[in-house]
């Protein structure tokens, strides 16, 4: 039996997905390419993607991606995104 199960990213709004990628990049557990691939998939799936998603897809480096992700997290559910509210390691 070959089944696929929805993940948080399949059901999350863009802001929460951006918070997920921002948290992963900040912690060093995700590579910037993961957020860019997600953004390109969102662009392909929409007739008129938002500028914030385009900026994530075209970010030139990790810092630019983190800035673009942060800008898109307006109404994010940070707990669903995996951020507990504890201070991130520096």
């Amino acid at each position: 039996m070959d089944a696929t199960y929805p993940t948080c990213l399949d059901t999350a709004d863009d802001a929460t997905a951006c918070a997920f990628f921002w948290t992963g990049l900040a912690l060093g557990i995700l590579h910037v390419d993961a957020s860019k691939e997600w953004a390109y998939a969102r662009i392909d799936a929409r007739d008129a993607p938002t500028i914030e998603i385009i900026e994530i897809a075209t970010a030139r480096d990790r810092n630019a991606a983190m800035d673009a992700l942060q800008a898109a997290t307006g109404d994010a559910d940070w707990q669903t995104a995996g951020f507990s509210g504890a201070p991130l390691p520096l």
Side-chain angles (χ1 to χ4, degrees), residues 13-27:
D13 57 50
D14 286 350
T16 300
C18 289
F20 167 82
F21 285 110
W22 184 92
T23 301
L25 288 174
L27 292 172

Side-chain angles (χ1 to χ4, degrees), residues 24-86:
L25 288 174
L27 292 172
I29 57 175
L30 289 178
H31 191 273
V32 67
D33 289 343
S35 63
K36 293 176 75 164
E37 288 173 16
W38 170 83
Y40 276 116
R42 292 284 199 194
I43 291 167
D44 288 343
R46 297 189 175 149
D47 291 331
T50 63
I51 189 66
E52 292 86 1
I53 302 301
I54 294 168
E55 288 175 353
I56 294 163
T58 60
R60 66 189 174 286
D61 58 27
R62 179 182 177 274
N63 290 339
M66 288 192 70
D67 288 345
L69 288 163
Q70 181 70 40
T73 60
D75 295 325
D77 179 347
W78 285 90
Q79 186 172 7
T80 298
F83 184 68
S84 66

